[in-house]
């Protein structure tokens, strides 16, 4: 679901996105999908699906460039949710505000990147 869901939704709406003003396709990933940043191991299933959706978004950025579409994967930060737990560093509102700011500021050169909720690049 973490991989095929975002891919199928993007495929279903690619023509509408291409005709839109912003021309952006964004999916929520996780730093846990970063192979370069994995220092703790475990969570094999979750990590692998997030790494896979990152690969999908990177490929989509290449394929959709001809349509002027920006495609990126975003990490929301460690958020206080059921999954993130009460010790997480961000509340939902702060995470969403950051994500919205990053999405609003996306430029064509950002396409194919993996960014956090502050716009910083994360290693694949």
């Amino acid at each position: 679901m973490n991989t095929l869901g975002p891919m199928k939704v993007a495929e279903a709406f690619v023509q509408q996105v291409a005709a839109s003003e912003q021309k952006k396709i964004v999916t929520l990933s996780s730093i846990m999908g970063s192979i370069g940043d994995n220092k703790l191991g475990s969570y094999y299933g979750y990590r692998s699906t997030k790494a896979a959706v990152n690969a999908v978004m990177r490929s989509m950025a290449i394929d959709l460039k001809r349509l002027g579409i920006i495609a990126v994967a975003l990490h929301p930060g460690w958020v206080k949710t059921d999954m993130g737990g009460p010790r997480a560093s961000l509340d939902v509102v702060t995470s969403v505000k950051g994500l919205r700011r990053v999405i609003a500021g996306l430029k064509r050169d950002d396409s194919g990147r993996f960014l956090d909720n502050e716009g910083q690049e994360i290693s694949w």
Side-chain angles (χ1 to χ4, degrees), residues 90-111:
L90 293 172
D91 61 49
V92 172
V93 172
T94 302
S95 174
V96 171
K97 282 181 180 178
L99 292 170
R100 290 184 64 175
R101 202 170 24 256
V102 171
I103 293 166
L106 288 173
K107 307 279 188 273
R108 287 185 123 179
D109 289 345
D110 294 319
S111 195

Side-chain angles (χ1 to χ4, degrees), residues 23-41:
K23 299 184 187 313
K24 298 172 186 174
I25 295 178
V26 176
T27 194
L28 275 185
S29 183
S30 169
I31 198 164
M32 290 182 74
S34 169
I35 294 169
D37 191 67
N38 183 354
K39 297 171 186 71
L40 300 175

Side-chain angles (χ1 to χ4, degrees), residues 7 33 59 63-64 69 79 82 94 99 101 111 118:
M7 182 180 77
S59 292
D63 295 339
L64 299 179
I69 294 175
V79 184
D82 289 345
T94 302
L99 292 170
R101 202 170 24 256
S111 195
E118 295 179 351

Side-chain angles (χ1 to χ4, degrees), residues 26-78:
V26 176
T27 194
L28 275 185
S29 183
S30 169
I31 198 164
M32 290 182 74
S34 169
I35 294 169
D37 191 67
N38 183 354
K39 297 171 186 71
L40 300 175
S42 70
Y43 299 98
Y44 303 117
Y46 185 74
R47 285 184 187 280
S48 63
T49 62
K50 289 302 189 176
V53 81
N54 290 348
V56 165
M57 295 308 290
R58 178 75 173 132
S59 292
M60 199 175 290
I62 294 165
D63 295 339
L64 299 179
K65 183 177 184 176
R66 64 182 173 76
L67 297 174
I69 294 175
I70 299 165
V72 299
L74 293 181
H75 166 56
W78 186 26

Side-chain angles (χ1 to χ4, degrees), residues 6-16 25 60:
M7 182 180 77
K8 291 297 189 183
V9 169
E11 287 175 353
F13 288 98
V14 72
Q15 293 306 320
Q16 290 88 342
I25 295 178
M60 199 175 290

